Amino acid sequence: MGGQRSAGREVAAGRQPLFGLAEILAPVTVEEFLADYWEQKPLVVHREDPGYFTQVLTLEDVDFVLSTSSLNDGDLRLVAEGEELTISQLVPDNVEGRVNGLEALFEQYRSGATVNLMFLNERWPALATLTRTVAKQLSAGVHGNVYLTPPGSRGLTPHHDTHDVLVCQLHGSKSWTFHPTQTALPLQSQGFSMPKAGAGDPEREFVLRPGDMAYLPRGTVHAAKANEEASLHLTIGVNPMAWSNVLHAAVDQVSATDVRFRSSVPVGFVDSEEARTAAAARLDELLSLLATRTSAAGLIDQLSSRMLQRRPPALKGQLVDLEALSSVELTTVVRVRPELQWLVTVDDEELHLEFHGKTIDLPQYVEDELAFMVKADEFTGGDLPGSLDDAGRLVLVRQLIREGFVTTT
């Protein structure tokens, strides 16, 4: 079983978060979405169900966030017709200015500016759950931005994003237009540049109402305007791992150990035809070496670990778990943490359980017990199969609770 690797799969039905990718896309299935729309073309779903996203975020929730939070440039921005304004530009950097920051923000909002709450998933539990779930399902980095636009106003002018976008309309309605694509699936370095003649005639126009959703592949040129009432929508930004990232990782990996990849291009290649010919020949040699010096499976494993390390930990209830650890017995009901993303590497002697940016080394003989845990909805230490005796089962369960893999809550 040397080198075998398995990834965290969908959690069991009994502890599946209420909202995930399937719920965002319904009635389109995840399978249909990936086959027919993902990175290919936009998807718009009209539901006529205004309360569909209520459990994720509401206008009242956003009011609460604004009225109770410290206002920082890293948390929000104001946008009107493509012009951006930060909180620090609105108020002086002193105590009185900070006190009046919320009023200054609402003054801009009353005047037509869109309030953009950035990375709200880092501060709102329901969005944190949703983005972690979507990140797991799409093997991508995911964030959640919220846009509150006053009636009849437009925040951003036509532009494209360098990440895929899932739009969930939460309150009010917004009229959307799609324009001709400038760059298909752009890299992060390939931002939108407005042509001199403008964005071009709209290719598609539609209205999103509460409960509706839209998917925009990265590179889709779009703009949106609120209608007769304030519009609130959630943008779930998806940053997938591109093949260019994989190839960059391959070059970095080989360059770290092979001096030939770190040597310079032949001197004089700018002015000398002979030097350019020699450079081309050396490049052919290095490209051939790259294929022989790297392992495709190894690179994918390496990037999987890197993606896991970037994910925020799912540690709700950890303090409660640690306080209750000494009272955990073989009859205590526990479960693997919902939304947790993990990888297991199996070598000839150990299991390497990777999650929350760390790796836990376990004896290979607990493989059956671990496989049971990750598939079960809930379980007790006494339920575990495998070769461990009762004392060993209890030690294993308590260890994984302590490390944050298993929870009692």
Side-chain angles (χ1 to χ4, degrees):
M1 294 192 293
Q4 182 178 342
R5 193 179 184 91
S6 61
R9 298 175 178 82
E10 293 300 321
V11 292
R15 64 176 198 269
Q16 179 76 302
L18 193 55
F19 246 87
L21 186 60
E23 288 73 26
I24 292 173
L25 298 171
V28 177
T29 67
V30 174
E31 292 74 21
E32 291 171 336
F33 170 71
L34 295 177
D36 299 333
Y37 297 96
W38 175 248
E39 295 190 332
Q40 301 171 60
K41 61 183 180 181
L43 167 67
V44 178
V45 174
H46 298 293
R47 291 195 174 94
E48 297 185 4
D49 185 356
Y52 192 79
F53 293 115
T54 299
Q55 61 192 292
V56 177
L57 190 72
T58 66
L59 184 66
E60 291 76 16
D61 294 334
V62 171
D63 184 84
F64 174 81
V65 170
L66 290 175
S67 63
T68 59
S69 300
S70 298
L71 303 179
N72 301 303
D73 289 346
D75 296 334
L76 63 83
R77 62 175 178 166
L78 294 158
V79 189
E81 292 294 330
E83 297 296 322
E84 297 186 16
L85 188 65
T86 65
I87 287 294
S88 60
Q89 292 173 301
L90 289 178
V91 293
D93 187 18
N94 56 42
V95 174
E96 182 180 357
R98 291 184 184 278
V99 170
N100 294 327
L102 184 60
E103 172 54 36
L105 180 147
F106 272 109
E107 180 60 30
Q108 293 293 321
Y109 175 76
R110 297 181 197 114
S111 301
T114 290
V115 178
N116 174 203
L117 292 167
M118 299 182 291
F119 303 100
L120 189 58
N121 58 291
E122 296 178 358
R123 308 187 297 284
W124 193 254
L127 286 186
T129 296
L130 177 60
T131 53
R132 278 197 297 261
T133 302
V134 174
K136 179 175 181 177
Q137 293 169 319
L138 291 178
S139 299
V142 174
H143 63 272
N145 289 346
V146 172
Y147 294 83
L148 175 63
T149 304
S153 297
R154 180 175 70 169
L156 297 170
T157 54
H159 66 285
H160 74 217
D161 294 308
T162 56
H163 52 263
D164 293 79
V165 170
L166 293 163
V167 176
C168 303
Q169 188 68 26
L170 309 176
H171 177 88
S173 66
K174 217 164 195 180
S175 296
W176 288 73
T177 57
F178 289 165
H179 300 270
T181 297
Q182 185 180 88
T183 306
L185 304 181
L187 300 171
Q188 290 188 356
S189 60
Q190 296 177 298
F192 180 76
S193 178
M194 181 68 75
K196 291 183 179 180
D201 295 333
E203 295 184 332
R204 184 173 181 179
E205 298 177 289
F206 58 94
V207 176
L208 290 184
R209 295 179 173 83
D212 295 347
M213 70 77 59
Y215 162 70
L216 285 62
R218 56 194 185 278
T220 302
V221 180
H222 61 280
K225 182 178 181 180
N227 294 316
E228 63 278 359
E229 59 182 330
S231 166
L232 178 69
H233 79 259
L234 165 66
T235 290
I236 300 173
V238 182
N239 290 285
M241 182 70 72
W243 283 116
S244 60
N245 301 128
V246 180
L247 294 175
H248 279 301
V251 172
D252 291 342
Q253 184 183 81
V254 175
S255 299
T257 58
D258 192 325
V259 69
R260 289 171 292 185
F261 285 82
R262 305 195 300 270
S263 63
S264 63
V265 177
V267 172
F269 77 95
V270 173
D271 303 310
S272 167
E273 181 67 30
E274 181 179 355
R276 285 197 295 276
T277 300
R282 185 59 180 271
L283 181 57
D284 282 337
E285 176 188 350
L286 294 177
L287 290 174
S288 297
L289 280 170
L290 184 64
T292 60
R293 292 291 308 276
T294 56
S295 160
L299 279 169
I300 297 301
D301 283 351
Q302 182 186 70
L303 292 172
S304 297
S305 296
R306 186 182 302 175
M307 291 293 289
L308 280 182
Q309 291 168 5
R310 294 177 181 174
R311 303 279 163 77
L315 281 172
K316 182 180 179 181
Q318 176 71 355
L319 285 177
V320 176
D321 283 341
L322 292 175
E323 285 300 297
L325 190 60
S326 61
S327 62
V328 170
E329 302 294 345
L330 286 176
T331 56
T332 304
V333 177
V334 297
R335 60 177 177 169
V336 173
R337 288 184 170 277
E339 312 150 39
L340 184 67
Q341 295 184 307
W342 48 269
L343 289 169
V344 174
T345 301
V346 185
D347 59 27
D348 292 334
E349 297 181 355
E350 291 184 313
L351 301 176
H352 307 289
L353 176 60
E354 184 177 351
F355 64 100
H356 289 169
K358 62 184 178 183
T359 301
I360 306 300
D361 297 327
L362 299 168
Q364 193 185 93
Y365 56 74
V366 302
E367 185 172 10
D368 290 343
E369 288 86 345
L370 187 61
F372 176 85
M373 290 182 188
V374 299
K375 292 179 180 178
D377 179 10
E378 295 178 339
F379 61 92
T380 69
D383 295 330
L384 295 179
S387 59
L388 291 177
D389 58 17
D390 284 348
R393 293 187 181 100
L394 185 58
V395 168
L396 178 62
V397 170
R398 287 183 175 180
Q399 178 186 2
L400 293 181
I401 292 174
R402 184 186 301 108
E403 297 291 350
F405 188 76
V406 169
T407 179
T408 63
T409 57

